[in-house]
Amino acid sequence: MGCNAIAKSGEYPIDIILSHIDRISFDDFLVAVGGRIADWRSVELDIEGQPRSYGGLTPSECNSLEKLALSWVTGGLPQTTPLSLFDGDPASATLKELSLSSISVDFVGMRLSNLSKLVLEDVPHLTMEDILLVLESSPLLVELELRELRQLRVTNPIGGGPIHLGSLTTCIFALPIPVTHFLLSTIHTPSLRHANISCDPDGSGRASSLFSPSIAAFAPTLRRLISPTKYIETEFGPFVASISFGGLGVTMASSIDVCQRLRDVLDSLMSYPGVNRAGLKAHLHFLCFEPDLETLQIFDWHPMVEELAVSNVFWKDLDPMRGLAALGTQIRNGPGSWLFPELEVLKYDVDNGFYAPLEMALEGRYCEVPTIEGTSTTTHQHPLLLK
């Protein structure tokens, strides 16, 4: 089948995809497609077992290659020797995208000067020196994604100064907190528009330390990412929480105090020099998560909560009313005595049986309440919440 497809392609560029579920060995596959190496435009290989080599991937042969994605289904067996791509020479000047997943590659001598997208996920034997060498040799990077590189350790930056990535617009890091902090302090990204960071504070340090003032190279970019926004979006689920603050997204997986830890991250961002906090509002979304008064009070101060959403649509045994009932609780004296005094939008997706308790919880806060003498007195009525 591979030979027939190659024959029918004529002189057109070839996009090659091989999955480990295909009924052809990797060596046979190379034989089938190897005659047209010069026409390869993209290669995506998801193979099972350790290959002996990636024959033909040399700069002189695959001089039309724009995308290379290699993934190895290990079956639990460790890869013993890193593979040498491009015979250890610099990559072809046409290569724009490189993606490696669960496969070890020798980066020594492999310069990626025209690379625009780099994805490294669970790559064994990879060191921080490898990462820094690749970043230094890839000044045209637009997208950078580093995930599950647990063996990385903090090291001294090359030359002691920041690495300039002037074209980078998107970075995604799912790494130990000290490694993420180190990379943020090492790269200079004046064009960055989106940064998504995932971390596990249970085992790799305090999440609030991600954005400490020591990340000097990243500081101007961080201020630019978060300063223009008017809303902070937060989402909570079982053992996970995320925050979206302008162009910055932070996701934490934690089994302990996930709400407080997210609050700590938010505080560190809010206190960052140059961040405009005036008029900033927060949206809290709880999905299959039971917020109570104590949890909600963590967010009962700047930025003021404008929207609250609670849902138990997936986990029917959860009772979201603990959080909704808290809205009818006076927690202080004087004006703004209610929890979230600037709340404008309430979204709830719960069973029909919860409607009556919901109305009772909100009645004293937003509706007319009869007095003992039979007259009525009006408390704060909010036009959006009374719809």
Side-chain angles (χ1 to χ4, degrees), residues 11 37 70 106-108 133 171-172 237-238 247 264 270 282 296-297 331 365 386:
E11 299 300 321
I37 290 177
L70 305 178
D106 186 358
F107 284 94
V108 176
L133 281 172
C171 73
I172 301 173
D264 293 341
M270 294 283 293
L296 293 176
Q297 280 187 289
I331 60 174
R365 178 170 176 160
L386 287 176

Side-chain angles (χ1 to χ4, degrees), residues 36-113:
R36 294 281 303 281
I37 290 177
D39 296 317
W40 290 3
R41 179 172 58 185
S42 67
V43 177
E44 298 181 50
L45 304 180
D46 177 23
I47 61 177
E48 188 172 16
Q50 182 171 352
R52 291 187 296 273
S53 68
Y54 285 100
L57 289 178
T58 61
S60 59
E61 293 291 338
C62 54
N63 50 21
S64 297
L65 188 64
E66 299 177 5
K67 177 182 179 180
L68 178 61
L70 305 178
S71 178
W72 180 33
V73 181
T74 65
L77 298 175
Q79 185 181 1
T80 56
T81 305
L83 293 172
S84 179
L85 297 179
F86 311 112
D87 285 346
D89 294 329
S92 171
T94 60
L95 187 65
K96 305 296 184 184
E97 298 184 26
L98 176 63
S99 176
L100 302 175
S101 177
S102 302
I103 190 164
S104 180
V105 168
D106 186 358
F107 284 94
V108 176
M110 185 173 62
R111 295 295 179 263
L112 304 163
S113 57

Side-chain angles (χ1 to χ4, degrees), residues 196-339:
N196 294 307
I197 297 172
S198 299
C199 60
D200 178 8
D202 287 352
S204 61
R206 294 172 58 248
S208 58
S209 67
L210 279 170
F211 308 108
S212 65
S214 61
I215 53 173
F218 191 70
T221 297
L222 180 61
R223 284 194 293 269
R224 181 170 46 80
L225 286 175
I226 64 179
S227 290
T229 187
K230 296 181 179 179
Y231 303 99
I232 297 176
E233 301 281 348
T234 63
E235 185 170 304
F236 302 89
F239 312 122
V240 66
S242 64
I243 183 172
S244 178
F245 194 166
L248 174 68
V250 179
T251 300
M252 293 188 302
S254 176
S255 58
I256 304 173
D257 297 333
V258 66
C259 292
Q260 183 59 58
R261 288 180 171 183
L262 192 74
R263 175 78 243 191
D264 293 341
V265 172
L266 180 57
D267 288 344
S268 69
L269 293 172
M270 294 283 293
S271 61
Y272 216 77
V275 173
N276 182 13
R277 293 175 288 179
L280 197 60
K281 303 290 186 179
H283 295 175
L284 304 184
H285 298 172
F286 292 89
L287 307 176
C288 307
F289 183 94
E290 297 182 87
D292 53 19
L293 177 60
E294 182 180 1
T295 297
L296 293 176
Q297 280 187 289
I298 294 174
F299 301 94
D300 189 43
W301 60 288
H302 199 78
M304 303 304 290
V305 174
E306 182 182 68
E307 177 177 309
L308 174 66
V310 180
S311 170
N312 75 334
V313 66
F314 299 113
W315 288 19
K316 295 298 183 181
D317 57 333
L318 295 185
D319 179 5
M321 297 313 301
R322 292 193 306 171
L324 295 178
L327 296 178
T329 303
Q330 290 182 288
I331 60 174
R332 60 180 72 88
N333 295 322
S337 61
W338 307 97
L339 181 71

Side-chain angles (χ1 to χ4, degrees), residues 183-205:
L183 288 173
L184 292 180
S185 66
T186 303
I187 58 177
H188 177 52
T189 55
S191 301
L192 194 68
R193 295 197 299 268
H194 305 285
N196 294 307
I197 297 172
S198 299
C199 60
D200 178 8
D202 287 352
S204 61

Side-chain angles (χ1 to χ4, degrees), residues 137-189:
S137 66
S138 308
L140 303 181
L141 268 181
V142 176
E143 298 180 47
L144 174 62
E145 183 172 345
L146 306 176
R147 293 183 177 273
E148 305 302 325
L149 305 175
R150 303 179 187 87
Q151 78 282 5
L152 288 183
R153 297 293 181 268
V154 172
T155 186
N156 292 323
I158 300 174
I163 297 175
H164 186 76
L165 299 176
S167 300
L168 193 71
T169 63
T170 302
C171 73
I172 301 173
F173 293 158
L175 303 166
I177 289 175
V179 173
T180 296
H181 182 272
F182 171 76
L183 288 173
L184 292 180
S185 66
T186 303
I187 58 177
H188 177 52
T189 55

Side-chain angles (χ1 to χ4, degrees), residues 8-14 36 39:
K8 292 179 180 179
S9 67
E11 299 300 321
Y12 290 100
I14 300 174
R36 294 281 303 281
D39 296 317

